[in-house]
Amino acid sequence: MQSLKEVLKKNYTILIDNLQKACLKAGRPMDSIQVLGASKGQSIEKIKIAYELGIKLFGENYVQEGEKKIKELFFLDIEWHFIGRLQTNKVKRALNFFSVLHTLDRYDLAKEIQKQAEKLNKRVPVLVEINIGEEPTKAGITKDEVEDFLEKISNFDKLKIIGLMCLPPYKENPEEVRPYFVEMGKLFERLKPYLGNEFRELSMGTSHDYTVAVEEGATIIRIGEALFGKRERTP
């Protein structure tokens, strides 16, 4: 029976191989993409192994679970991002533990981030979440509303808008997701002239469809199962 380390090493090798092929196809350098280990429900042991393999960026979906892991792994040089839906009452704690927030999806959240960031006297890197499939069950701002939203929060000087994030509709065939990634790429390019050099990240693509996302311009891919295997528990 394979050890946990052997399993993760095999997963990582496949991931990097697929990534190299996608980059070659898209004419992109490998260092233009960051692999984020989506570690929700995964053990400390698995995170340590992934770190040893070369993953230095991890994302958590729940503030409390993330906080526990961050405290336990303080001795590792990990960059922690928050990738779940953020409640306004958890913003204060999130800002103490996560360096980037991926899911700015509404005005009241932007207002609370601004308020808490003012107290800490720091600018907070955020990605605006886009509901690219306009699915009623998902969070995010539609592509038609995003410019109005950005205008509305433009006076929040503690928000450093560094990019966009999306979670498109799930399709069994990843090729069917491509049109959504193409739309995200177009939206990113449309907004870039207004948001300047800080606006450079496009967080899209997960274990199921990351190669297609990379081909369409993703700069951050969020990899859970393809790296860690099945979640060990659901918080």
Side-chain angles (χ1 to χ4, degrees):
M1 190 175 170
Q2 284 185 310
S3 70
L4 191 55
K5 196 166 188 174
E6 286 168 336
V7 171
L8 262 69
K9 188 175 181 179
K10 184 182 176 184
N11 291 348
Y12 180 76
T13 303
I14 293 166
L15 169 67
I16 296 303
D17 186 50
N18 289 340
L19 204 47
Q20 284 173 334
K21 287 173 184 170
C23 284
L24 194 63
K25 190 174 175 182
R28 299 180 62 188
M30 277 282 283
D31 63 6
S32 66
I33 294 122
Q34 294 184 81
V35 177
L36 178 150
S39 48
K40 175 177 83 170
Q42 303 292 354
S43 67
I44 291 290
E45 187 185 0
K46 281 187 178 181
I47 296 170
K48 280 182 186 172
I49 294 167
Y51 179 85
E52 286 166 14
L53 288 167
I55 305 291
K56 299 294 184 277
L57 172 61
F58 290 86
E60 285 288 330
N61 289 63
Y62 302 107
V63 174
Q64 202 169 344
E65 183 186 354
E67 185 180 327
K68 188 173 179 290
K69 289 174 181 174
I70 292 164
K71 284 177 176 176
E72 205 165 329
L73 294 167
F74 72 93
F75 56 92
L76 296 181
D77 185 25
I78 290 175
E79 183 178 342
W80 292 94
H81 289 195
F82 187 80
I83 60 172
R85 189 152 202 251
L86 186 56
Q87 297 167 290
T88 50
N89 65 349
K90 297 283 175 69
V91 168
K92 185 179 179 180
R93 282 172 73 185
L95 295 191
N96 286 322
F97 290 94
F98 297 95
S99 60
V100 179
L101 308 177
H102 279 233
T103 52
L104 175 59
D105 64 346
R106 57 202 190 277
Y107 180 78
D108 68 325
L109 179 58
K111 190 177 176 183
E112 185 61 22
I113 295 169
Q114 171 71 15
K115 178 184 164 185
Q116 297 300 335
E118 280 175 352
K119 291 178 185 175
L120 296 168
N121 192 28
K122 71 175 184 180
R123 290 183 78 215
V124 179
V126 298
L127 287 87
V128 176
E129 182 173 2
I130 306 296
N131 186 345
I132 196 65
E134 299 189 15
E135 297 172 274
T137 55
K138 280 187 183 170
I141 295 151
T142 67
K143 62 179 188 290
D144 295 328
E145 296 168 338
V146 69
E147 278 149 314
D148 286 344
F149 176 73
L150 289 168
E151 179 64 32
K152 201 174 174 185
I153 66 168
S154 60
N155 62 324
F156 292 162
D157 62 333
K158 297 299 183 188
L159 268 64
K160 180 179 174 181
I161 299 167
I162 63 166
L164 303 176
M165 179 273 233
C166 80
L167 191 64
Y170 179 85
K171 305 285 182 185
E172 194 63 41
N173 178 3
E175 276 302 321
E176 291 179 31
V177 186
R178 191 181 294 274
Y180 298 105
F181 292 147
V182 169
E183 281 298 309
M184 284 296 294
K186 287 178 182 173
L187 181 61
F188 180 82
E189 291 303 325
R190 193 173 89 218
L191 296 174
K192 193 163 177 49
Y194 305 101
L195 292 165
N197 292 334
E198 290 181 336
F199 188 76
R200 58 184 180 273
E201 304 295 356
L202 191 49
S203 174
M204 61 184 192
T206 57
S207 290
H208 183 63
D209 52 22
Y210 66 90
T211 56
V212 179
V214 165
E215 287 169 21
E216 298 303 337
T219 64
I220 300 172
I221 53 172
R222 306 180 302 274
I223 307 296
E225 201 169 298
L227 175 62
F228 296 108
K230 297 279 187 190
R231 281 187 210 132
E232 297 187 357
R233 61 190 173 76
T234 302

